[in-house]
Amino acid sequence: MTLEAVLAALHMVAILTLVVFMSSQAALCRTEWMNAAVVERLVRLDVIYGVTALVLLLTGLARVVWGIKGMSWYVSQPLFHLKITLFVAMAVLSIWPSLSFRRWRRNLRATGALPEAGEVSRVRRLVMVQSHVLPVVAVIAVFWARGW
């Protein structure tokens, strides 16, 4: 029982941390706020976001493998598969912003140039899509916990 509680708590902390750093990216990735410090900060936030997503995945897998309900229960649940699919979709959506942030920093350091407004808007849109998918995952979790 203690292991289940610890794994659930770690999973919840990872979710909340992911929300914080995803929200920070969304807040900073704006054309009107873009400057050299923001470009550097976006890369740091993205690294923390990536590590947090990995911790979220690992704690979730740990709950599946070592949790009280067991793997057979999880894999038999349709909402589990929907949550995993949405998580993977978020991971795929995060690739382009991650690569862009690093490219922006590389260009900034090499030439001093900031990213173009159109590119910042496109990257922000992807971050915002991720930010809107995450609450859907949370709602699915609530329904799943209530026996759906």
Side-chain angles (χ1 to χ4, degrees), residues 3 6 13-14 16 32 39-40 42 53 66 77 79 81-82 85 91 96 106 121 123-124 126 130 133 137 140 144 148:
L3 178 61
V6 168
V13 168
L16 294 173
E32 63 270 18
V39 170
E40 295 287 345
L42 282 168
W66 297 305
Q77 300 295 310
L79 290 180
H81 294 281
L82 183 56
T85 300
W96 185 254
R106 193 173 47 252
S121 294
V123 169
R124 178 176 164 72
L126 289 172
Q130 292 174 67
V133 170
V137 174
I140 290 168
W144 187 19
W148 273 58

Side-chain angles (χ1 to χ4, degrees), residues 3 8 23 31 35 41 63 65 96 101 106 112 130 133 136 145 147:
L3 178 61
S23 299
T31 56
N35 62 42
R41 189 165 293 128
R63 292 185 75 189
V65 173
W96 185 254
F101 298 151
R106 193 173 47 252
Q130 292 174 67
V133 170
V136 174

Side-chain angles (χ1 to χ4, degrees), residues 80-90:
F80 171 75
H81 294 281
L82 183 56
K83 281 179 59 177
I84 295 301
T85 300
L86 290 174
F87 184 80
V88 169
M90 287 177 58

Side-chain angles (χ1 to χ4, degrees), residues 106-122:
R106 193 173 47 252
N107 290 342
L108 175 69
R109 289 179 176 176
T111 67
L114 293 173
E116 294 180 14
E119 185 177 7
V120 173
S121 294
R122 284 188 297 276

Side-chain angles (χ1 to χ4, degrees), residues 8-63:
L10 290 173
H11 197 63
M12 184 60 65
V13 168
I15 292 167
L16 294 173
T17 305
L18 191 77
V19 169
V20 167
F21 288 97
M22 185 186 307
S23 299
S24 298
Q25 282 183 345
L28 287 175
C29 191
R30 297 173 183 265
T31 56
E32 63 270 18
W33 293 355
M34 194 56 60
N35 62 42
V38 167
V39 170
E40 295 287 345
R41 189 165 293 128
L42 282 168
V43 174
R44 284 192 306 272
L45 290 171
D46 191 60
V47 168
I48 297 168
Y49 172 76
V51 169
T52 302
L54 181 61
V55 170
L56 179 61
L57 177 64
L58 293 175
T59 57
L61 288 173
R63 292 185 75 189

